[in-house]
Amino acid sequence: MRLTISHTTHYKYDAPVRYGLSRLRLTPTSDACQTVLSWKTEIVGGKKEVGYFDQFHNPVELVSLDPDAQEIHVRCEGEVETRDRAGVVGSTPALRRSGSFAAPPRSRPRARC
């Protein structure tokens, strides 16, 4: 199934903000159940400083507010193609790296008397 996604977040502050940072986790990733066909993020009232991946390999965008801003608009949109896997996804690279599916250490057999 092809999905068209559009999301808008609007932050409004009571007083001008001299300095502010926000981490955005709004970008989907392609995996066994979905393929990201297109994606973009637009920011009004701030700018993207850097993009990186967190410890679970999720894309993160670090955004700074414009000096003395009183509001910021974040809009993201794109297309994602999904596949029906009947709820069975399996292990993802992020989970494998986190050790969630790691086998427990083997214990030594106890000596019998």
Side-chain angles (χ1 to χ4, degrees):
M1 176 184 318
R2 184 173 290 203
L3 304 175
T4 300
I5 301 165
S6 176
H7 171 83
T8 302
T9 300
H10 176 214
Y11 296 98
K12 191 169 185 177
Y13 305 97
D14 292 334
V17 177
R18 287 183 45 196
Y19 182 77
L21 292 174
S22 290
R23 284 180 283 193
L24 306 179
R25 288 180 171 88
L26 297 170
T27 306
T29 56
S30 296
D31 62 20
C33 293
Q34 67 184 22
T35 300
V36 179
L37 303 173
S38 66
W39 197 261
K40 68 178 180 176
T41 302
E42 298 172 345
I43 301 160
V44 176
K47 66 178 180 177
K48 179 180 169 182
E49 296 291 342
V50 68
Y52 62 94
F53 292 93
D54 68 11
Q55 68 272 25
F56 298 108
H57 203 64
N58 296 311
V60 180
E61 294 175 295
L62 184 66
V63 173
S64 66
L65 275 69
D66 290 340
D68 296 319
Q70 283 194 261
E71 57 187 317
I72 185 170
H73 294 264
V74 178
R75 178 176 168 81
C76 52
E77 60 186 10
E79 282 190 275
V80 177
E81 181 84 33
T82 63
R83 290 178 284 289
D84 183 4
R85 305 255 324 219
V88 179
V89 178
S91 175
T92 64
L95 289 174
R96 285 193 298 272
R97 280 192 300 280
S98 73
S100 297
F101 292 108
R106 293 185 178 190
S107 58
R108 299 176 94 184
R110 292 187 180 173
R112 294 186 179 189
C113 298

